[in-house]
Amino acid sequence: MTSNFGKGAKLRRSSIVACTLMFCASLSAWALAPRNPMAALNKNIRLETAIPVSFGDWHLDSGGVQSVVNPQQKGLLDALYSQTLTRTYVNALGQRIMLSIAYGEMQSGDIELHRPEVCYVAQGFSLETVGESSIKLEERESPFPIQRLIAQTNSRHEPISYWMRVGDYVVASGNDQRLARLMHGFKGWIPDGILFRVSSISDDNEAAYHLQERFVVDLLTTVDTNTRGFLIGPVSPEEVGSKR
């Protein structure tokens, strides 16, 4: 028969093992938790000055004929984003593009970029998902992904193109957004994030998307290298390494 002393010793040993395992698990979680904010790499970029008011055939439309839909209501904007920029541009033909950029310094926990699928519906639009596409720049080997939508009210038909940059990666879907956060977390980084959206009021979806792509290419080829990287991430895996 096992004595009470033996049982007690065995119980104490089990408790010590359990406590040791719990301590090790806690230590591992602490060690693996991301701590390095990527926002520190972009602290000198201010959207208001980094994005030019005129470039190529485009200039700022001071008339304000078309209103840009805000990414969220002000209270939520302040909680999610450290910088936002909304402008309307017009070209020589009178064609207009509405631009909205929202920048969040931290993409972790419940703090993340809110996609247009959320904010447009919240403001009374019906929304149709057209699907994913891509934009190619001459100086980059690979195109980057964008998402296309159509927002509709009784009086407004608005084709939309957008992408998100989460840390080093450009993504166009919620699943890829979460995956990018996870990949940075494994490396010890807390990613920052950009939501870049362009749209126009047009009943011709194909022409609207073509115009939006032209606007984006004109803008990205005009801004300096740092701003371009801020908007669509680094050029290559080698540049990712050089930033660290």
Side-chain angles (χ1 to χ4, degrees), residues 21 92 112 137 223:
L21 290 174
E112 65 176 3
L137 298 180
V223 297

Side-chain angles (χ1 to χ4, degrees), residues 12-160:
R12 282 193 296 274
R13 284 196 299 272
S14 298
S15 298
I16 291 171
V17 170
C19 289
T20 302
L21 290 174
M22 290 173 64
F23 173 77
C24 290
S26 299
L27 187 62
S28 296
W30 178 85
L32 292 173
R35 289 182 182 78
N36 303 309
M38 296 186 74
L41 304 173
N42 295 313
K43 62 183 179 181
N44 295 325
I45 294 183
R46 311 304 301 174
L47 289 173
E48 192 67 36
T49 53
I51 306 302
V53 295
S54 63
F55 54 92
D57 191 32
W58 301 95
H59 64 271
L60 194 63
D61 180 15
S62 56
V65 176
Q66 297 175 330
S67 59
V68 183
V69 173
N70 287 329
Q72 293 289 343
Q73 298 301 318
K74 187 179 186 308
L76 192 54
L77 278 174
D78 293 341
L80 294 175
Y81 307 118
S82 52
Q83 295 186 59
T84 59
L85 179 72
T86 56
R87 290 177 180 169
T88 299
Y89 288 84
V90 61
N91 64 13
L93 297 177
Q95 299 169 311
R96 288 178 169 82
I97 291 290
M98 294 174 287
L99 169 68
S100 174
I101 307 176
Y103 173 66
E105 292 183 349
M106 295 180 63
Q107 300 296 297
S108 62
D110 294 330
I111 303 175
E112 65 176 3
L113 302 171
H114 279 205
R115 292 176 292 128
E117 287 92 331
V118 176
C119 67
Y120 271 86
V121 172
Q123 296 184 50
F125 287 81
S126 62
L127 208 63
E128 176 186 344
T129 300
V130 176
E132 192 171 305
S133 186
S134 62
I135 293 178
K136 179 75 170 66
L137 298 180
E138 286 186 5
E139 64 269 28
R140 296 214 169 188
E141 293 182 6
S142 302
F144 62 90
I146 63 170
Q147 188 66 251
R148 287 176 171 172
L149 310 169
I150 298 172
Q152 178 79 49
T153 63
N154 291 335
S155 59
R156 180 166 171 146
H157 185 91
E158 184 175 348
I160 301 163

Side-chain angles (χ1 to χ4, degrees), residues 141-224:
E141 293 182 6
S142 302
F144 62 90
I146 63 170
Q147 188 66 251
R148 287 176 171 172
L149 310 169
I150 298 172
Q152 178 79 49
T153 63
N154 291 335
S155 59
R156 180 166 171 146
H157 185 91
E158 184 175 348
I160 301 163
S161 300
Y162 80 88
W163 71 81
M164 296 173 288
R165 176 186 64 76
V166 180
D168 289 322
Y169 305 104
V170 174
V171 299
S173 72
N175 288 336
D176 288 342
Q177 180 184 9
R178 289 183 286 273
L179 179 59
R181 285 175 53 180
L182 187 63
M183 291 173 67
H184 282 93
F186 284 146
K187 299 175 184 177
W189 289 95
I190 302 173
D192 59 354
I194 278 275
L195 171 63
F196 186 107
R197 187 190 83 209
V198 288
S199 62
S200 46
I201 308 300
S202 174
D203 292 327
D204 188 335
N205 298 332
E206 185 175 349
Y209 291 133
H210 178 75
L211 183 68
Q212 291 166 18
E213 180 173 342
R214 199 175 82 208
F215 174 90
V216 167
V217 171
D218 286 348
L219 175 60
L220 292 178
T221 53
T222 298
V223 297
D224 60 55

